Amino acid sequence: MTKAEKVQFVIDTLEKLYPETPIPLDHKDPYTLLIAVLMSAQSTDARVNTITPLLFDKADNPYDMVKLSVDEIRDIIKPVGLSPMKSKGIYGLSKILIEKHNGEVPIDMEALEELPAVGHKTASVVMAQAFDIPAFPVDTHIHRLMYRWNLSNGKSVTQTEKDAKRLFPKELWNKLHLQIIYYGREYSPARGWKLENDIITKTVGRKSVIDDYNKKKA
């Protein structure tokens, strides 16, 4: 298989398995999505989805959010982990949105990355999922799978993102990054991985990854 054929196999397989790609984090607008994505760092989407309703019940926009103190925000979001950093970020970015952006989430990558506690991945998710602007947010699943599929060298998430954007057509990025996440969770997890269930890695995977798996199994 050529690299182009491998890429096409990945696209076709994911499209068959996941024709629909609902956004995993519950939200109602760009602001609530931004907060949910920020909260999801080193946590699970499922856990975030149990906590965001409690927070959004008190404040689902920046104007109400800054009426809460950082401590009040932290008490609500504690179960998602890293709450000291996240609560400061939520309060700080809400303040900046009011002062600089008329209370609106900017449709601009650089402006998003300037907000407290908002990194490149969070900004990319918001661009893709809130504004439908092509981006390729790389999370741990995508980083792992791009390496397993021999489509990236696994050196850094920055490199993985570059490779993904180079290999996959731009018009597919927003859907594809979600399809890969769903596939990673279901068929190609980091722990408890069964190669026999993982059709993509079995077909196009990196030889050393497959050999290593078979050695461990033997």
Side-chain angles (χ1 to χ4, degrees), residues 160-199:
T160 299
E161 184 183 338
K162 266 188 200 153
D163 291 333
K165 285 178 165 178
R166 182 173 50 81
L167 292 168
F168 295 115
K170 194 171 188 174
E171 66 274 14
L172 299 183
W173 292 354
N174 288 356
K175 186 175 189 182
L176 203 63
H177 87 266
L178 285 169
Q179 289 173 320
I180 297 174
I181 291 167
Y182 288 138
Y183 185 89
R185 287 176 181 171
E186 195 172 349
Y187 297 103
S188 198
R191 292 191 203 97
W193 173 45
K194 292 187 170 72
L195 180 63
E196 50 276 23
N197 298 339
D198 182 349
I199 178 73

Side-chain angles (χ1 to χ4, degrees), residues 111-128:
L112 285 168
E113 287 182 358
E114 280 170 10
L115 297 170
V118 176
H120 180 68
K121 186 198 138 206
T122 298
S124 297
V125 172
V126 173
M127 291 298 277

Side-chain angles (χ1 to χ4, degrees), residues 12-13 21 67-68 101 118 122 124 130 163 215:
D12 293 343
T13 306
T21 49
K67 290 177 190 165
L68 300 175
H101 303 287
V118 176
T122 298
S124 297
D163 291 333
K215 236 182 259 165

Side-chain angles (χ1 to χ4, degrees), residues 21-40:
T21 49
I23 293 169
L25 290 165
D26 297 339
H27 67 287
K28 63 170 189 168
D29 57 20
Y31 177 75
T32 51
L33 178 67
L34 174 61
I35 300 302
V37 178
L38 186 157
M39 282 169 59
S40 71

Side-chain angles (χ1 to χ4, degrees), residues 63-209:
Y63 297 96
D64 287 336
M65 197 64 80
V66 296
K67 290 177 190 165
L68 300 175
S69 67
V70 172
D71 285 343
E72 284 174 302
I73 297 168
R74 192 172 79 203
D75 284 344
I76 297 167
I77 70 167
K78 212 170 248 175
V80 300
L82 304 179
S83 60
M85 182 269 287
K86 290 176 183 176
S87 53
K88 276 185 200 146
I90 290 168
Y91 183 88
L93 74 80
S94 300
K95 204 161 176 287
I96 290 169
L97 290 180
I98 294 166
E99 288 166 0
K100 277 192 171 180
H101 303 287
N102 300 316
E104 299 289 327
V105 176
I107 310 176
D108 179 88
M109 197 74 174
E110 274 178 41
L112 285 168
E113 287 182 358
E114 280 170 10
L115 297 170
V118 176
H120 180 68
K121 186 198 138 206
T122 298
S124 297
V125 172
V126 173
M127 291 298 277
Q129 296 176 5
F131 301 124
D132 204 26
I133 290 166
F136 211 107
V138 172
D139 75 342
T140 52
H141 296 290
I142 294 173
H143 189 51
R144 177 177 71 253
L145 267 52
M146 288 288 288
Y147 179 78
R148 279 183 181 172
W149 297 343
N150 204 14
L151 299 178
S152 191
N153 62 19
K155 292 254 163 47
S156 69
V157 289
T158 308
Q159 187 57 50
T160 299
E161 184 183 338
K162 266 188 200 153
D163 291 333
K165 285 178 165 178
R166 182 173 50 81
L167 292 168
F168 295 115
K170 194 171 188 174
E171 66 274 14
L172 299 183
W173 292 354
N174 288 356
K175 186 175 189 182
L176 203 63
H177 87 266
L178 285 169
Q179 289 173 320
I180 297 174
I181 291 167
Y182 288 138
Y183 185 89
R185 287 176 181 171
E186 195 172 349
Y187 297 103
S188 198
R191 292 191 203 97
W193 173 45
K194 292 187 170 72
L195 180 63
E196 50 276 23
N197 298 339
D198 182 349
I199 178 73
I200 297 180
T201 308
K202 218 164 43 175
T203 309
V204 306
R206 185 181 291 272
K207 189 178 179 302
S208 60
V209 167

